[in-house]
Amino acid sequence: MEDIIEKVKEIILQALHKYWNIPSDIALKAAFLDPRFKDLTFARNKKDRIIRLIQDELNQVGNLLSEDNPNDDDQGINETEVTERRGESPVINVLIGGSRRNPRKEKNTLFNRIFSKSSNTNAFENELNQYVNIKCANSDIDPCEWWAEKKQIFPLLSDLARKYLHIPATSVPSERLFSDTGNHVSVRRTRLDPNLLRTMVFLKRNMKAMDIFPPDE
């Protein structure tokens, strides 16, 4: 049995070297933001560079968010507060390149120019350093649930993790869905109602998870 396991490991390792010989920065960022694999034991020589890239991205997000926050109390409710009330994340909005309506910059005083960006940078560095220094999570946890629980400790990193960890690792499920749809829409069945087709494909893909047939009486 052990010989079979070792052989399977060797085959998997060969496949990884073939298809993922040069890990992309996006994949390594996703791995770093996964609390189970954040040590990047499979790419230690690239860990420092990935941490620097994450730090640069945090600084960029922080600078963009600081431009949106008014410095005076008489400005009323700012857009960040409105976005949060809608259940959206202002950080995610910046990360995905969302538009920022009516950006209001801080007053261009000497104090702000000296201390504003430096204080933000220190806060982001502390958050990142704290994440780097904690132990890796257990392999059986859900990384998305882990970040949801740690959002108060890592507010910016948790939103950054949502950006990278939600990237599908493979296109196989979507390709299978297209194949199922193609099996239903044939040359002799070109006038199916779209809603009916959607229901048929949904039932077929979920028939193992739900009882779609009525019980026999």
Side-chain angles (χ1 to χ4, degrees), residues 29-73:
K29 285 180 182 180
F32 174 75
L33 292 170
D34 188 328
R36 301 169 298 177
F37 312 113
K38 68 183 188 67
D39 284 346
L40 298 182
T41 54
F42 55 90
R44 291 190 182 277
N45 58 330
K46 298 179 175 62
K47 181 178 179 179
D48 291 339
R49 185 173 62 84
I50 294 302
I51 292 178
R52 287 196 298 270
L53 292 177
I54 294 290
Q55 180 66 64
D56 292 341
E57 194 163 352
L58 286 176
N59 292 337
Q60 180 183 5
V61 172
N63 292 334
L64 290 174
L65 287 176
S66 64
E67 293 178 0
D68 284 347
N69 293 329
N71 218 21
D72 298 330
D73 295 335

Side-chain angles (χ1 to χ4, degrees), residues 58-71 78 80 90-91 94 100 103-107 112 116-117 119-121 124 156:
L58 286 176
N59 292 337
Q60 180 183 5
V61 172
N63 292 334
L64 290 174
L65 287 176
S66 64
E67 293 178 0
D68 284 347
N69 293 329
N71 218 21
N78 59 53
T80 299
V91 180
V94 173
R100 294 174 290 121
R104 287 169 286 196
K105 298 183 179 181
E106 293 180 347
K107 290 182 177 179
N112 286 337
S116 178
K117 290 186 178 180
S119 61
N120 286 340
T121 301
F124 304 151
L156 283 179

Side-chain angles (χ1 to χ4, degrees), residues 71-120:
N71 218 21
D72 298 330
D73 295 335
D74 58 356
Q75 294 290 342
I77 300 175
N78 59 53
E79 183 180 355
T80 299
E81 293 174 347
V82 174
T83 304
E84 290 176 343
R85 290 184 183 182
R86 290 200 305 259
E88 303 171 1
S89 169
V91 180
I92 286 294
N93 188 41
V94 173
L95 288 172
I96 64 177
S99 60
R100 294 174 290 121
R101 297 168 295 175
N102 300 325
R104 287 169 286 196
K105 298 183 179 181
E106 293 180 347
K107 290 182 177 179
N108 190 20
T109 63
L110 179 61
F111 181 86
N112 286 337
R113 289 162 60 184
I114 294 176
F115 295 103
S116 178
K117 290 186 178 180
S118 61
S119 61
N120 286 340

Side-chain angles (χ1 to χ4, degrees), residues 119-171:
S119 61
N120 286 340
T121 301
N122 291 335
F124 304 151
E125 288 180 355
N126 291 337
E127 183 175 331
L128 183 58
N129 290 334
Q130 186 177 359
Y131 174 70
V132 171
N133 292 327
I134 64 174
K135 294 176 59 177
C136 288
N138 295 331
S139 59
D140 57 347
I141 63 101
D142 185 333
C144 294
E145 292 181 357
W146 189 92
W147 279 111
E149 295 173 357
K150 306 293 183 181
K151 186 174 178 61
Q152 297 298 326
I153 304 175
F154 308 110
L156 283 179
L157 275 176
S158 61
D159 284 328
L160 195 62
R162 289 172 58 190
K163 172 185 175 182
Y164 288 102
L165 293 181
H166 287 185
I167 299 175
T170 176
S171 62

